[in-house]
Amino acid sequence: MALTSLQPGISTISVKGLFPSAHCFVAFDTYKTLLQDEAGKISGPRTVIAGFGAGITESLLAVTPFESIKTTLIDDRKSAKPRMRGFLHGSSIIWRERGLRGFFQGFAPTTARQAANSATRFGSYTTIKQFAQGYVAPGEKLGSISTFGIGGLAGLITV
């Protein structure tokens, strides 16, 4: 039995979850590297700025286009004669009828939300991780379970 038969729309949900997260983490690491001092350290405020930039990047490259497509598909399903048969078909119709702008409706509010969430999430994550690192022996790193928990706590803060 295919996974798609267990959960209709799983491919769209998976892609929608994967792309924004991937963009956000790559962008955060990139901005963090750009904002480091000569010693490779980054301050709390600069971490928040890196998170803010990551949220803007995430919104531009993934969240806003996916949200625009999703909203258009939902609106189409409510119409008397739905025209769109799914994500790819709907995307092609949006492209033909509205062009690139059709994928960026709601860009400003979506970007504001993503930037604020990412700034808070990454700022919280870094602060909590630095605090926890203080309880580890010098030269040791936090384990995977600790990092997982810290990431979960930072995610909980931004829910």
Side-chain angles (χ1 to χ4, degrees):
M1 182 183 294
L3 185 59
T4 54
S5 64
L6 295 174
Q7 172 64 46
I10 191 77
S11 59
T12 303
I13 292 167
S14 298
V15 169
K16 185 182 181 289
L18 175 69
F19 284 144
S21 294
H23 285 100
C24 192
F25 279 91
V26 169
F28 177 70
D29 281 345
T30 301
Y31 295 131
K32 199 168 80 169
T33 300
L34 293 171
L35 293 168
Q36 290 175 349
D37 63 18
E38 301 79 33
K41 303 268 186 206
I42 185 166
S43 66
R46 287 184 177 199
T47 300
V48 172
I49 292 168
F52 193 81
I56 292 170
T57 302
E58 178 185 23
S59 178
L60 177 67
L61 299 178
V63 176
T64 302
F66 277 104
E67 289 294 318
S68 293
I69 294 165
K70 179 186 81 173
T71 303
T72 302
L73 288 171
I74 290 169
D75 289 345
D76 182 65
R77 288 277 152 94
K78 292 178 184 175
S79 69
K81 290 187 175 186
R83 303 178 308 139
M84 300 177 188
R85 295 187 303 265
F87 182 80
L88 293 176
H89 185 249
S91 297
S92 67
I93 290 174
I94 293 168
W95 178 256
R96 267 189 314 229
E97 292 180 358
R98 296 186 231 154
L100 188 61
R101 294 185 99 194
F103 295 100
F104 290 95
Q105 293 183 266
F107 178 72
T110 300
T111 300
R113 181 188 73 225
Q114 291 304 125
N117 281 346
S118 292
T120 304
R121 183 181 312 117
F122 285 114
S124 301
Y125 173 79
T126 302
T127 301
I128 297 166
K129 187 175 178 184
Q130 288 171 345
F131 176 77
Q133 193 69 43
Y135 290 95
V136 177
E140 286 187 36
K141 293 190 175 202
L142 291 170
S144 298
I145 293 172
S146 297
T147 304
F148 181 83
I150 293 166
L153 185 56
L156 183 63
I157 289 169
T158 58
V159 170

